[in-house]
Amino acid sequence: QKEVEQDPGPLSVPEGAIVSLNCTYSNSAFQYFMWYRQYSRKGPELLMYTYSSGNKEDGRFTAQVDKSSKYISLFIRDSQPSDSATYLCAMSSGTFQGAQKLVFGQGTRLTINP
Amino acid sequence: DVKVTQSSRYLVKRTGEKVFLECVQDMDHENMFWYRQDPGLGLRLIYFSYDVKMKEKGDIPEGYSVSREKKERFSLILESASTNQTSMYLCASRGTGRVSPLHFGNGTRLTVT
């Protein structure tokens, strides 16, 4: 079993819909949780970061972490065609200092249709 | 703005060739990483370096080596390329701040025939 599981999709929704992207994990030591966005033919870029459990909101994006269920989510409100990308969850057990290793999910390919 | 530059966008090499993938970052970051990205498998860490001339194996180091002679440059070396090394290779760097994110290059698509 992989440490981090993410449904690869593809996921296709109409513009304006609420999108929910999810990851599950098995390592209870994970405490740093990130979402990266990767546009076609580009490298991933950090979208959101959360520490431990709880919610974090940034504009149309909300990240949720439920450590008791080992489950993290990314919600996109009022989705736009420009949100079409692959979304990767990533997590680690230590601090960001030094060369802390991240474990990535497989990535979910999302398309927002105008 | 942080820039991580990978020297080649596409490479085609033959089985058995020695292959060099180059990566340069312009933000004076201590930490640099090489990942490969494959459909269904996500990003997997090959090697990382936390200082000049220092390197650590990641999850899949077999068949690869790395070189970091200067802080800004991190090279991935395929000693004898094989077809199962056909993949997208991503270089990344990050600083040592508590919330310093990974900054990725745009990748090198390597095909080994």
Side-chain angles (χ1 to χ4, degrees), chain A residues 22-34:
Chain A
N22 311 294
C23 289
T24 59
Y25 62 94
S26 58
N27 187 346
S28 58
F30 287 148
Q31 52 182 337
Y32 291 85
F33 304 92
M34 287 133 276

Side-chain angles (χ1 to χ4, degrees), chain A residues 4 9-10 12 14-16 31 36 50-51 63 65-66 68 70 76-77 80 85 109:
Chain A
V4 179
S12 181
E15 183 176 355
Q31 52 182 337
Y36 281 80
T50 52
Y51 170 69
V65 175
D66 181 349
S68 62
K70 298 190 180 68
I76 307 174
R77 291 184 301 279
Q80 304 294 311
R109 189 172 173 185

